[in-house]
Short mmCIF file of all heavy atoms in Angstrom, two decimals:
data_model
loop_
_atom_site.label_atom_id
_atom_site.label_comp_id
_atom_site.label_asym_id
_atom_site.label_seq_id
_atom_site.Cartn_x
_atom_site.Cartn_y
_atom_site.Cartn_z
N ILE A 324 94.85 43.84 -88.47
CA ILE A 324 95.74 42.81 -87.89
C ILE A 324 95.27 41.45 -88.37
O ILE A 324 94.08 41.11 -88.25
CB ILE A 324 95.75 42.82 -86.34
CG1 ILE A 324 96.19 44.18 -85.79
CG2 ILE A 324 96.66 41.71 -85.83
CD1 ILE A 324 96.33 44.22 -84.27
N ASN A 325 96.20 40.68 -88.94
CA ASN A 325 95.91 39.29 -89.30
C ASN A 325 96.63 38.40 -88.29
O ASN A 325 97.85 38.52 -88.13
CB ASN A 325 96.44 38.98 -90.71
CG ASN A 325 95.68 39.78 -91.75
OD1 ASN A 325 94.46 39.66 -91.85
ND2 ASN A 325 96.38 40.61 -92.50
N GLU A 326 95.90 37.52 -87.63
CA GLU A 326 96.51 36.64 -86.62
C GLU A 326 96.94 35.35 -87.31
O GLU A 326 96.10 34.61 -87.83
CB GLU A 326 95.49 36.39 -85.50
CG GLU A 326 95.86 35.33 -84.48
CD GLU A 326 97.19 35.59 -83.76
OE1 GLU A 326 97.45 36.73 -83.36
OE2 GLU A 326 97.97 34.62 -83.62
N GLY A 327 98.24 35.11 -87.34
CA GLY A 327 98.77 33.96 -88.08
C GLY A 327 99.05 32.74 -87.22
O GLY A 327 99.52 31.73 -87.74
N ILE A 328 98.84 32.83 -85.90
CA ILE A 328 99.20 31.69 -85.04
C ILE A 328 97.95 31.03 -84.42
O ILE A 328 97.75 29.84 -84.56
CB ILE A 328 100.16 32.12 -83.89
CG1 ILE A 328 101.37 32.87 -84.44
CG2 ILE A 328 100.58 30.91 -83.06
CD1 ILE A 328 102.37 32.06 -85.22
N TRP A 329 97.14 31.84 -83.72
CA TRP A 329 96.03 31.27 -82.96
C TRP A 329 94.69 31.52 -83.67
O TRP A 329 94.52 32.54 -84.32
CB TRP A 329 95.98 31.84 -81.54
CG TRP A 329 97.21 31.51 -80.74
CD1 TRP A 329 98.15 32.37 -80.28
CD2 TRP A 329 97.65 30.20 -80.33
NE1 TRP A 329 99.14 31.71 -79.62
CE2 TRP A 329 98.86 30.37 -79.63
CE3 TRP A 329 97.14 28.91 -80.49
CZ2 TRP A 329 99.56 29.31 -79.08
CZ3 TRP A 329 97.85 27.85 -79.94
CH2 TRP A 329 99.04 28.06 -79.25
N GLU A 330 93.75 30.58 -83.47
CA GLU A 330 92.42 30.68 -84.08
C GLU A 330 91.60 31.80 -83.50
O GLU A 330 90.78 32.40 -84.16
CB GLU A 330 91.63 29.39 -83.76
CG GLU A 330 91.75 28.32 -84.77
CD GLU A 330 91.06 27.06 -84.29
OE1 GLU A 330 90.34 27.08 -83.26
OE2 GLU A 330 91.27 26.04 -84.96
N SER A 331 91.79 32.06 -82.21
CA SER A 331 90.83 32.89 -81.51
C SER A 331 91.54 33.86 -80.56
O SER A 331 91.54 33.68 -79.36
CB SER A 331 89.90 31.93 -80.74
OG SER A 331 89.01 32.62 -79.97
N ARG A 332 92.20 34.88 -81.14
CA ARG A 332 92.94 35.80 -80.28
C ARG A 332 92.42 37.23 -80.38
O ARG A 332 93.13 38.18 -80.12
CB ARG A 332 94.43 35.75 -80.59
CG ARG A 332 95.20 36.21 -79.38
CD ARG A 332 96.64 35.80 -79.34
NE ARG A 332 97.04 35.73 -77.94
CZ ARG A 332 98.23 35.38 -77.54
NH1 ARG A 332 99.16 35.06 -78.39
NH2 ARG A 332 98.51 35.34 -76.23
N PHE A 333 91.13 37.37 -80.74
CA PHE A 333 90.57 38.72 -80.82
C PHE A 333 89.45 38.92 -79.81
O PHE A 333 88.62 39.81 -79.98
CB PHE A 333 90.06 38.99 -82.24
CG PHE A 333 91.18 39.27 -83.22
CD1 PHE A 333 91.41 38.42 -84.29
CD2 PHE A 333 92.00 40.38 -83.05
CE1 PHE A 333 92.44 38.67 -85.19
CE2 PHE A 333 93.04 40.63 -83.94
CZ PHE A 333 93.25 39.78 -85.01
N GLN A 334 89.42 38.09 -78.76
CA GLN A 334 88.32 38.23 -77.79
C GLN A 334 88.37 39.58 -77.09
O GLN A 334 87.35 40.12 -76.67
CB GLN A 334 88.38 37.10 -76.78
CG GLN A 334 88.09 35.76 -77.44
CD GLN A 334 88.47 34.58 -76.57
OE1 GLN A 334 87.86 34.36 -75.54
NE2 GLN A 334 89.49 33.85 -76.96
N TYR A 335 89.57 40.16 -76.98
CA TYR A 335 89.71 41.45 -76.30
C TYR A 335 89.04 42.58 -77.07
O TYR A 335 88.75 43.64 -76.51
CB TYR A 335 91.20 41.78 -76.09
CG TYR A 335 91.94 42.10 -77.37
CD1 TYR A 335 92.08 43.41 -77.82
CD2 TYR A 335 92.45 41.09 -78.17
CE1 TYR A 335 92.73 43.70 -79.02
CE2 TYR A 335 93.10 41.36 -79.36
CZ TYR A 335 93.24 42.67 -79.78
OH TYR A 335 93.87 42.95 -80.97
N THR A 336 88.79 42.38 -78.38
CA THR A 336 88.27 43.50 -79.18
C THR A 336 86.85 43.88 -78.72
O THR A 336 86.50 45.06 -78.74
CB THR A 336 88.28 43.19 -80.70
OG1 THR A 336 87.49 42.03 -80.94
CG2 THR A 336 89.69 42.97 -81.21
N ALA A 337 86.07 42.88 -78.28
CA ALA A 337 84.71 43.19 -77.79
C ALA A 337 84.82 44.07 -76.54
O ALA A 337 83.99 44.98 -76.33
CB ALA A 337 83.97 41.90 -77.47
N GLU A 338 85.83 43.82 -75.71
CA GLU A 338 86.01 44.62 -74.48
C GLU A 338 86.44 46.03 -74.85
O GLU A 338 85.97 47.01 -74.27
CB GLU A 338 87.05 43.97 -73.57
CG GLU A 338 86.77 42.52 -73.21
CD GLU A 338 85.39 42.31 -72.61
OE1 GLU A 338 85.12 42.87 -71.53
OE2 GLU A 338 84.57 41.59 -73.24
N LEU A 339 87.35 46.16 -75.84
CA LEU A 339 87.79 47.51 -76.26
C LEU A 339 86.61 48.27 -76.87
O LEU A 339 86.50 49.50 -76.70
CB LEU A 339 88.94 47.42 -77.26
CG LEU A 339 90.29 46.96 -76.74
CD1 LEU A 339 91.36 47.07 -77.83
CD2 LEU A 339 90.74 47.77 -75.52
N ASN A 340 85.72 47.56 -77.58
CA ASN A 340 84.55 48.26 -78.15
C ASN A 340 83.65 48.82 -77.04
O ASN A 340 83.04 49.87 -77.21
CB ASN A 340 83.77 47.32 -79.08
CG ASN A 340 84.50 47.14 -80.42
OD1 ASN A 340 85.42 47.90 -80.74
ND2 ASN A 340 84.11 46.14 -81.18
N LYS A 341 83.63 48.12 -75.88
CA LYS A 341 82.85 48.67 -74.73
C LYS A 341 83.47 49.99 -74.28
O LYS A 341 82.83 50.79 -73.62
CB LYS A 341 82.90 47.71 -73.54
CG LYS A 341 82.08 46.46 -73.70
CD LYS A 341 82.16 45.67 -72.39
CE LYS A 341 81.79 44.22 -72.59
NZ LYS A 341 82.27 43.35 -71.50
N MET A 342 84.76 50.17 -74.59
CA MET A 342 85.46 51.40 -74.17
C MET A 342 85.44 52.45 -75.29
O MET A 342 86.16 53.44 -75.24
CB MET A 342 86.91 51.07 -73.78
CG MET A 342 87.01 50.06 -72.65
SD MET A 342 88.72 49.59 -72.26
CE MET A 342 89.31 51.07 -71.44
N GLY A 343 84.63 52.22 -76.32
CA GLY A 343 84.48 53.23 -77.39
C GLY A 343 85.29 52.96 -78.64
O GLY A 343 85.27 53.76 -79.58
N ALA A 344 86.03 51.82 -78.68
CA ALA A 344 86.80 51.50 -79.90
C ALA A 344 85.84 51.08 -81.00
O ALA A 344 84.66 50.77 -80.75
CB ALA A 344 87.79 50.38 -79.60
N ASN A 345 86.36 51.05 -82.23
CA ASN A 345 85.54 50.64 -83.38
C ASN A 345 86.31 49.54 -84.12
O ASN A 345 87.05 49.80 -85.06
CB ASN A 345 85.28 51.86 -84.28
CG ASN A 345 84.34 51.51 -85.42
OD1 ASN A 345 83.99 50.34 -85.61
ND2 ASN A 345 83.94 52.51 -86.20
N ILE A 346 86.17 48.32 -83.61
CA ILE A 346 86.95 47.19 -84.15
C ILE A 346 85.98 46.12 -84.65
O ILE A 346 85.05 45.75 -83.94
CB ILE A 346 87.87 46.57 -83.05
CG1 ILE A 346 88.70 47.67 -82.37
CG2 ILE A 346 88.79 45.51 -83.66
CD1 ILE A 346 89.38 47.23 -81.09
N THR A 347 86.22 45.65 -85.87
CA THR A 347 85.38 44.57 -86.40
C THR A 347 86.27 43.34 -86.51
O THR A 347 87.28 43.35 -87.21
CB THR A 347 84.86 44.93 -87.82
OG1 THR A 347 84.46 46.28 -87.79
CG2 THR A 347 83.70 44.05 -88.21
N ASP A 348 85.85 42.31 -85.79
CA ASP A 348 86.64 41.09 -85.73
C ASP A 348 86.04 40.09 -86.72
O ASP A 348 84.86 39.80 -86.67
CB ASP A 348 86.58 40.64 -84.25
CG ASP A 348 86.81 39.18 -84.03
OD1 ASP A 348 87.24 38.50 -84.96
OD2 ASP A 348 86.56 38.73 -82.89
N GLN A 349 86.87 39.62 -87.67
CA GLN A 349 86.36 38.67 -88.68
C GLN A 349 87.19 37.40 -88.61
O GLN A 349 88.01 37.15 -89.51
CB GLN A 349 86.48 39.30 -90.08
CG GLN A 349 85.65 40.57 -90.23
CD GLN A 349 86.12 41.44 -91.39
OE1 GLN A 349 87.29 41.44 -91.75
NE2 GLN A 349 85.19 42.19 -91.95
N GLY A 350 87.02 36.63 -87.58
CA GLY A 350 87.77 35.37 -87.43
C GLY A 350 89.23 35.63 -87.13
O GLY A 350 89.57 36.09 -86.05
N LYS A 351 90.11 35.35 -88.09
CA LYS A 351 91.55 35.50 -87.82
C LYS A 351 92.09 36.86 -88.26
O LYS A 351 93.30 37.08 -88.28
CB LYS A 351 92.33 34.36 -88.48
CG LYS A 351 92.13 33.04 -87.72
CD LYS A 351 92.93 31.92 -88.30
CE LYS A 351 94.35 31.92 -87.81
NZ LYS A 351 95.13 30.77 -88.27
N SER A 352 91.18 37.81 -88.62
CA SER A 352 91.67 39.17 -88.85
C SER A 352 90.70 40.17 -88.24
O SER A 352 89.53 39.84 -87.97
CB SER A 352 91.92 39.45 -90.33
OG SER A 352 90.74 39.25 -91.04
N ALA A 353 91.19 41.36 -88.00
CA ALA A 353 90.34 42.39 -87.39
C ALA A 353 90.69 43.74 -88.00
O ALA A 353 91.85 44.02 -88.33
CB ALA A 353 90.53 42.40 -85.88
N LEU A 354 89.64 44.56 -88.14
CA LEU A 354 89.75 45.89 -88.74
C LEU A 354 89.62 46.91 -87.62
O LEU A 354 88.63 46.91 -86.89
CB LEU A 354 88.58 46.03 -89.70
CG LEU A 354 88.68 47.02 -90.83
CD1 LEU A 354 89.73 46.57 -91.81
CD2 LEU A 354 87.31 47.11 -91.53
N PHE A 355 90.62 47.76 -87.47
CA PHE A 355 90.63 48.75 -86.40
C PHE A 355 90.40 50.13 -87.02
O PHE A 355 91.31 50.67 -87.65
CB PHE A 355 91.99 48.75 -85.68
CG PHE A 355 92.26 47.48 -84.92
CD1 PHE A 355 92.55 46.29 -85.57
CD2 PHE A 355 92.24 47.48 -83.53
CE1 PHE A 355 92.81 45.12 -84.87
CE2 PHE A 355 92.49 46.32 -82.81
CZ PHE A 355 92.77 45.13 -83.49
N GLN A 356 89.18 50.69 -86.85
CA GLN A 356 88.94 52.05 -87.34
C GLN A 356 89.26 52.97 -86.17
O GLN A 356 88.52 53.02 -85.18
CB GLN A 356 87.51 52.20 -87.81
CG GLN A 356 87.24 51.29 -89.02
CD GLN A 356 85.86 51.44 -89.59
OE1 GLN A 356 85.49 52.49 -90.08
NE2 GLN A 356 85.08 50.38 -89.51
N GLY A 357 90.37 53.67 -86.27
CA GLY A 357 90.88 54.44 -85.13
C GLY A 357 89.89 55.50 -84.67
O GLY A 357 89.28 56.20 -85.48
#
Side-chain angles (χ1 to χ4, degrees):
I324 301 185
N325 294 302
E326 171 57 44
I328 307 290
W329 298 114
E330 268 174 10
S331 176
R332 204 160 207 179
F333 284 117
Q334 293 165 68
Y335 69 94
T336 59
E338 306 306 297
L339 290 186
N340 285 346
K341 288 184 200 161
M342 301 176 73
N345 185 353
I346 309 166
T347 317
D348 156 11
Q349 298 160 331
K351 287 183 83 175
S352 58
L354 203 68
F355 293 72
Q356 296 183 64

